[in-house]
Amino acid sequence: MKRPLQCCSVLLLCFCSAAAQAQLYKWVGPDGKVTYSDVPPPKTAAKVETKTLSSGDTHTAGLPFELAEAAKAHPVTLYTTRNCAACDDGRKLLSERGIPFREKTVNSNDDVAQFKQAGGDGQLPMLTVGRNKQLGFEPGAWNGALSNAGYPETSALPKSYRNPPPQAAAPTPKSVAASPEKIDAQGSSRPSATDLPPAIGNAPPGFRF
């Protein structure tokens, strides 16, 4: 009896370290076996205990265990820009496979600088799966990187799950107001020097798809 209990203890530690499930259940079965799971126990279970786990990252909260583990160990980030058909295709692939990901947009000079720091070379979209980088959209290479990182082959996302909204690669702090040098004599704001005009054609200057 001691060995099964030890195994269950290890399983509990795995669940706690993941910190991705909303609740963890503990119960004793008819055979006296103690079970830990994120799935509610059967009606025949005895001595049921429920523990709510805190999650430090709402990006993985509520995900199935396997998917949450992959997302924590190898987070996925998609870099995109405007007027980019390949970016749309990459976003569609991730959504259809059920991959939780963050999207960062590259539309300003500051975004470009941040994109290059992340390993970009001017080609979009760029997919990062943990430390693995995929430049340009290539379905086979993308799926291979995701599978190697432990992501399920088919979607396991809860129907209610929503990825975070896209965010600029170099977001501007909301708390920072327009600086005096950006206000003209009439009191209206002038565009920041870091903002680029809308892309012309299919790619912004210096970028390719």
Side-chain angles (χ1 to χ4, degrees), residues 30 32 35 60 62 70 72 83-84 104 123 138 156 170 175 186 189 192:
T35 300
T60 60
K72 287 171 63 66
N83 302 328
C84 172
K104 295 188 177 183
Q123 186 174 5
E138 205 292 305
S175 59
Q186 287 72 34
S189 299
S192 170

Side-chain angles (χ1 to χ4, degrees), residues 21-188:
Q21 306 301 324
Q23 287 186 323
L24 181 67
Y25 300 92
K26 171 187 175 183
W27 72 86
V28 179
D31 58 355
K33 180 181 178 181
V34 178
T35 300
Y36 295 93
S37 176
D38 62 321
V39 179
K43 294 181 180 179
T44 56
K47 298 182 181 179
V48 177
E49 298 179 18
T50 302
K51 181 178 180 180
T52 300
L53 301 180
S54 59
S55 174
D57 186 0
T58 57
H59 186 53
T60 60
L63 296 181
F65 181 74
E66 178 185 4
L67 184 57
E69 285 290 275
K72 287 171 63 66
H74 306 281
V76 174
T77 302
L78 175 66
Y79 289 83
T80 65
T81 190
R82 294 182 290 242
N83 302 328
C84 172
C87 299
D88 296 336
D89 291 338
R91 191 182 300 109
K92 181 180 179 181
L93 182 150
L94 296 177
S95 298
E96 290 182 346
R97 182 160 171 174
I99 304 298
F101 68 95
R102 299 184 186 279
E103 181 175 349
K104 295 188 177 183
T105 57
V106 182
N107 295 313
S108 73
N109 287 331
D110 288 344
D111 292 338
V112 171
Q114 191 65 36
F115 172 67
K116 290 182 177 179
Q117 286 186 7
D121 69 348
Q123 186 174 5
L124 289 165
M126 181 177 80
L127 180 74
T128 64
V129 183
R131 296 183 178 181
N132 187 309
K133 295 181 178 64
Q134 298 293 325
L135 300 173
F137 178 62
E138 205 292 305
W142 282 33
N143 278 315
L146 293 168
S147 297
N148 291 337
Y151 285 94
E153 298 293 334
T154 58
S155 179
L157 277 179
K159 293 183 179 180
S160 60
Y161 183 86
R162 296 293 182 274
N163 283 308
Q167 186 180 41
T172 302
K174 295 181 180 179
S175 59
V176 178
S179 57
E181 62 270 15
K182 295 181 181 179
I183 307 299
D184 60 21
Q186 287 72 34
S188 60

